[in-house]
Amino acid sequence: MLIFPSHESMTVGAKVETVERIRGTWFNRIPSDRHVSDFAAAFRKRLPGPRAMGWTLTAVFFVVYTVVSVLRNDRMLNAGYDLGIFEQAIRAYAHGQAPVVELKGPGFPLLGDHFHPILALIAPIYRIFPSAVTLLVVQAALMALACLPLTRWAHRTVGPLTGLAVGCGLGASWGLAAGVTKDFHEICFAVPLLAFSVTALGQRRWWAATAWALPLLLVKEDLGLTLAAIGGYIAWQGLRERRQHPTARRGFPFLLGIAVALLGVLGTAVEILVLLPAMNPRGGFDYWHQMPGEASPSGGLAGLASAGLHLLWPPMKWLLLFMLAAPTAFFGLRSPLTLLCVPTLAWRLLAGNEHYWQPNFHYSAILMPIVFAGLIDVLHRRPEVVPPRRRRKILVFSAAFTAVTAAVYPLHDLVLPSAWRTPAHVRTAERLLARIPDGDTVASSNRLAPMLTGRATVSLVCFGTGPDPAAPTALPADPPRWVVSDRHDPTVKTPCPVDLTHRMLRLYRAHGYVQVAEEDGITLLRRP
């Protein structure tokens, strides 16, 4: 206990001594910078090595993604477009058949819609576990695998705390959350391929970067442009190395980069101009009408000005760009690796489909490994820009932004009690759909379709025939045995508008289809 003498009896020296005693007794109890550094050092020593940390985060996010996606599927939040479509294709692959998808149209070959033969790799797994859930689990595993190379790279080059922050930031990022929790899409293969490729680029391993990027040509037709961008990056780095060390390098990275860039451009051109039209029933590429040239037919300077304005307007596009830069506290933009986002962003921002501009579009998932690779590259190669104190602020901002967006995007389902309960409407749907025998043919509404695609041949309830495909006046050429429609299906605009669904239900009833059940807005008809 401190005993203070009276103020009048104290000399100047005694007053100074008393103040020092108080400071030593109380203020030294506050942790100093040295104590904070000691604590951080002790915490770093307890963290696992780069390999163990990478695999641990991969396993954690695989479990998280699987649980969230399966919970959403159990609540009937997936749909025929797109989970049912991909299940029909993979089911065909699993039985040694061409990927014909009735949900896209009678006898429609899916390779005429998008070029993604890599989906055949899932066929052996699906043959053992024939269910839509199999696709969701595979997607969760592939998305989570992206955490492995980036976590190890950050751990080895910057430090274990940075590795932990980058791995958790990528795994919980809004882009991966949006991609992994909404149906199934072929781009789940591109996410780990790009993660391994950009890691190799950051480590100057040009052959490895090329090997990981080449399969992008089999994932989707536009990703050849991303492959070309990777080739351009390798060529640019090769030129820089030749200028800095003219005798040490023989120009190999430059030549490799040029070859990769040409292969990427040529691959995309062949797929869009030759392969897709050859397999499309309409003999063309179905998405030309969404390209900027179709949206603004004017040419010359006026056309260029219109395209430039369209690139950055409406403001939704600015939100997308902000959401991409914010997870790295905007410092990832200082790395040239971030330029690999340009091919995907270009066609998304120039397209006339406003759905592509939104941050929750599933194609944002392939950009997240590139964005975080840019951050690691800056932290590792530009220490003068990010000294230790600034690095800590960047990682804290990144973690805070990720935490905020995780509360908005579907990962928050893990803590919502309602997400763990099956709604009564879903239980009713399961009970009514159980009356349809396995192997039968069904015309279904969008949200009910993936509950049937694993055991029946499913088309959409709004499909029919007639002079105008948008207003069918007759039943399909090969009428289904069962028809099921959900009046509460929220996808009321695409692919089946409400009025078109009602028109077809009337046609089915007029042709003798018998109503088997109608409960909670779900109507089940059977052909006599």
Side-chain angles (χ1 to χ4, degrees):
M1 181 176 67
L2 296 174
I3 301 176
F4 297 92
S6 63
H7 184 272
E8 293 80 2
S9 63
M10 294 179 64
T11 64
V12 174
K15 291 179 180 179
V16 173
E17 183 180 356
T18 302
V19 170
E20 291 298 328
R21 289 172 58 195
I22 295 173
R23 181 180 297 170
T25 304
W26 297 101
F27 288 92
N28 285 346
R29 295 182 181 180
I30 300 175
S32 63
D33 289 342
R34 180 175 60 82
H35 292 152
V36 173
S37 299
D38 291 344
F39 173 79
F43 181 68
R44 281 195 296 268
K45 290 180 180 179
R46 292 181 177 272
L47 291 175
R51 184 181 298 273
M53 180 183 289
W55 280 113
T56 299
L57 291 180
T58 298
V60 168
F61 282 107
F62 166 63
V63 173
V64 169
Y65 296 161
T66 300
V67 171
V68 173
S69 57
V70 171
L71 286 176
R72 292 177 63 82
N73 187 67
D74 290 345
R75 286 178 287 147
M76 215 164 73
L77 296 180
N78 292 322
Y81 278 53
D82 292 309
L83 179 58
I85 287 175
F86 285 108
E87 184 178 12
Q88 286 187 333
I90 294 171
R91 185 185 181 196
Y93 281 132
H95 291 85
Q97 302 169 358
V100 173
V101 174
E102 296 293 328
L103 282 170
K104 289 286 292 183
F108 190 96
L110 195 60
L111 287 176
D113 183 52
H114 289 299
F115 191 74
H116 37 51
I118 200 169
L119 292 176
L121 295 179
I122 308 178
I125 305 174
Y126 185 87
R127 188 64 184 263
I128 302 172
F129 305 102
S131 168
V133 174
T134 299
L135 276 64
L136 300 178
V137 173
V138 169
Q139 178 172 254
L142 291 171
M143 294 280 204
L145 188 59
C147 296
L148 176 61
L150 292 170
T151 300
R152 292 191 305 186
W153 179 26
H155 190 298
R156 288 169 176 166
T157 57
V158 187
L161 287 176
T162 303
L164 181 63
V166 167
C168 292
L170 174 63
S173 63
W174 63 269
L176 290 190
V180 82
T181 56
K182 186 179 181 182
D183 292 282
F184 172 92
H185 298 96
E186 70 281 270
I187 56 96
C188 64
F189 282 94
V191 173
L193 289 174
L194 280 171
F196 280 99
S197 183
V198 293
T199 298
L201 289 177
Q203 297 170 344
R204 304 301 195 263
R205 296 184 293 118
W206 311 127
W207 270 116
T210 300
W212 284 110
L214 285 176
L216 292 174
L217 287 172
L218 305 178
V219 177
K220 200 159 177 277
E221 62 277 1
D222 66 285
L223 286 173
L225 300 180
T226 300
L227 174 63
I230 291 173
Y233 181 89
I234 295 174
W236 174 64
Q237 290 292 344
L239 281 178
R240 291 187 62 192
E241 291 180 359
R242 287 186 65 181
R243 291 170 182 171
Q244 294 172 0
H245 309 285
T247 60
R249 306 293 297 182
R250 296 189 297 272
F252 171 73
F254 174 76
L255 296 177
L256 174 64
I258 293 298
V260 172
L262 292 176
L263 179 62
V265 173
L266 181 63
T268 289
V270 170
E271 290 172 4
I272 292 179
L273 300 177
V274 179
L275 298 181
L276 287 171
M279 292 179 281
N280 189 293
R282 291 175 284 274
F285 180 53
D286 282 344
Y287 300 92
W288 278 129
H289 67 282
Q290 296 179 357
M291 294 298 102
E294 296 289 335
S296 57
S298 58
L301 294 177
L304 290 176
S306 176
L309 180 62
H310 181 73
L311 182 66
L312 298 175
W313 196 261
M316 176 65 71
K317 299 178 180 180
W318 287 98
L319 175 61
L320 171 62
L321 297 177
F322 170 81
M323 293 286 286
L324 287 171
T328 63
F330 307 97
F331 273 81
L333 298 176
R334 295 172 178 257
S335 169
L337 282 174
T338 310
L339 293 175
L340 299 180
C341 294
V342 169
T344 296
L345 281 177
W347 71 257
R348 286 181 62 180
L349 297 180
L350 287 172
N353 187 342
E354 63 181 23
H355 183 61
Y356 296 162
W357 314 335
Q358 300 174 9
N360 62 354
F361 181 48
H362 62 269
Y363 234 76
S364 296
I366 70 170
L367 302 178
M368 303 316 295
I370 301 174
V371 166
F372 277 91
L375 175 62
I376 301 171
D377 189 50
V378 171
L379 295 180
H380 172 48
R381 302 195 179 278
R382 304 191 63 183
E384 75 283 357
V385 177
V386 280
R389 184 182 295 273
R390 178 174 291 180
R391 184 197 308 160
R392 288 194 293 269
K393 293 180 179 179
I394 292 173
L395 297 179
V396 168
F397 181 91
S398 175
F401 182 83
T402 301
V404 171
T405 53
V408 177
Y409 281 83
L411 294 185
H412 65 250
D413 284 2
L414 291 172
V415 297
L416 292 180
S418 59
W420 296 81
R421 293 193 295 265
T422 302
H425 183 71
V426 176
R427 292 196 297 269
T428 301
E430 292 173 342
R431 179 164 43 81
L432 294 181
L433 295 181
R435 304 179 69 169
I436 300 175
D438 293 351
D440 229 329
T441 56
V442 189
S444 169
S445 53
N446 193 29
R447 283 291 174 91
L448 296 175
M451 303 173 71
L452 292 163
T453 46
R455 61 184 186 87
T457 301
V458 185
S459 59
L460 287 178
V461 67
C462 56
F463 285 174
T465 56
D468 183 4
T473 56
L475 299 188
D478 186 12
R481 179 164 174 76
W482 297 85
V483 177
V484 60
S485 176
D486 185 2
R487 190 171 67 244
H488 301 303
D489 191 327
T491 56
V492 295
K493 295 182 179 180
T494 56
C496 282
V498 174
D499 56 343
L500 194 54
T501 299
H502 290 167
R503 180 199 300 265
M504 287 305 302
L505 287 177
R506 289 194 297 269
L507 282 174
Y508 279 118
R509 286 190 170 100
H511 283 77
Y513 277 69
V514 178
Q515 181 170 301
V516 176
E518 184 168 10
E519 188 176 347
D520 197 12
I522 301 175
T523 302
L524 181 63
L525 307 179
R526 184 185 63 208
R527 188 179 65 197

